[in-house]
Amino acid sequence: MTLHEAIRSVLPAGTRSSPYQGSTRYKFDCPMCHHNGHRRDTQQRGAFRLNPDGSAGYSCFQCHHNTRQSPDMSLTQKMRSVLIHLGMSDDDVQRLSYDLWAAKITRQRGIAPPPYISKKPLPAGSKPIGHWIAQNVADDNFNDVLLDLADMTDERRDSLYWTPDAGESGDMNRRFIWAIGPKDDPIGWAAELIGDEATDPILSDPDIMTYNDEDEK
């Protein structure tokens, strides 16, 4: 799914289109005005601008919800919000997020990630480390994981996962896990063993590290 295809799929009834400085502009009632604390737009103050290079911009002259999206960069939160408020389904948002991320990886490394598939399940029982801290879980393995990650920032540490389930490897509960790919639609995961016994990580797919994107961790 390209960015332009995604946008055109959710344009509301009554949208007006016109050429604009070499691009195509689509005007309609902004779905973000009420969400942003303004009166509902009934004057078609919202507009998408679809550019020849595959990028797109959104702007509203009432609530000033403005954003620009490149066709090979991670989906911005503001663009995501517009698409969701126009009625795009969660599945389609995830698909678009994946396709934009895949284009980014291809541009950066010349490596095309595998075709889009549904979310890759994390190891059984996995939840963010921040979840287990909030639950005040009592587990010696989890305490050892926290000690091993003590030098990380709280934000980075809490973006990782842990499971109390030892799994088929017998030591999954002594590993920290990170999702690979877009945060909201990972294509796989890696699980790294803690401590002096550390070895190569367990991977959801033998080639998954090829697509690891530091910006998305």
Side-chain angles (χ1 to χ4, degrees), residues 101-216:
W101 173 82
K104 174 183 174 181
I105 294 297
T106 302
R107 171 178 58 80
Q108 290 178 338
R109 307 179 188 180
I111 302 171
Y116 177 81
I117 54 175
S118 58
K119 281 189 177 180
K120 191 77 171 184
L122 295 174
S126 297
K127 293 185 182 299
I129 285 178
H131 164 86
W132 297 112
I133 292 175
Q135 294 294 315
N136 200 25
V137 63
D139 187 292
D140 289 341
N141 289 316
F142 182 63
N143 291 337
D144 289 344
V145 169
L146 290 184
L147 286 173
D148 202 67
L149 304 181
D151 291 338
M152 285 187 180
T153 64
D154 290 350
E155 181 180 11
R156 173 73 178 101
R157 179 200 64 203
D158 293 349
S159 71
L160 302 173
Y161 296 80
W162 178 77
T163 175
D165 189 340
E168 294 182 4
S169 67
D171 60 7
M172 190 63 76
N173 54 0
R174 292 191 59 78
R175 295 175 180 267
F176 59 91
I177 304 159
W178 69 89
I180 296 173
K183 291 178 182 177
D184 60 349
D185 198 19
I187 64 170
W189 51 266
E192 183 137 358
L193 194 63
I194 62 169
D196 295 336
E197 67 229 81
T199 59
D200 290 339
I202 295 176
L203 306 175
S204 59
D205 181 287
D207 298 320
I208 201 66
M209 295 300 288
T210 303
Y211 309 108
N212 191 11
D213 184 354
E214 292 291 338
D215 292 339
E216 295 297 334

Side-chain angles (χ1 to χ4, degrees), residues 64-83:
H64 304 292
H65 187 97
N66 303 322
T67 187
R68 186 180 187 280
Q69 179 68 55
S70 296
D72 55 1
M73 291 295 291
S74 300
L75 184 62
T76 69
Q77 187 57 50
K78 280 192 170 183
M79 183 62 75
R80 181 191 304 271
S81 294
V82 175
L83 296 173

Side-chain angles (χ1 to χ4, degrees), residues 2 15-17 26 38 40 42 47 68 73 85 90 128 148 151 201 205-206 214:
T2 68
T15 295
R16 293 187 297 170
S17 65
Y26 295 90
H38 295 260
R40 292 186 185 278
T42 59
R68 186 180 187 280
M73 291 295 291
H85 281 83
D90 289 344
D148 202 67
D151 291 338
D205 181 287
E214 292 291 338

Side-chain angles (χ1 to χ4, degrees), residues 7-71:
I7 290 172
R8 290 192 181 101
S9 73
V10 293
L11 291 174
T15 295
R16 293 187 297 170
S17 65
S18 61
Y20 182 79
Q21 297 181 354
S23 302
T24 302
R25 183 167 59 184
Y26 295 90
K27 298 180 65 177
F28 48 90
D29 294 343
C30 175
M32 302 304 299
C33 286
H34 185 69
H35 174 76
N36 289 331
H38 295 260
R39 66 180 182 277
R40 292 186 185 278
D41 177 27
T42 59
Q43 302 297 318
Q44 294 195 325
R45 293 185 173 94
F48 274 120
R49 180 176 172 178
L50 306 191
N51 303 314
D53 64 358
S55 67
Y58 181 80
S59 60
C60 174
F61 296 107
Q62 177 166 271
C63 70
H64 304 292
H65 187 97
N66 303 322
T67 187
R68 186 180 187 280
Q69 179 68 55
S70 296

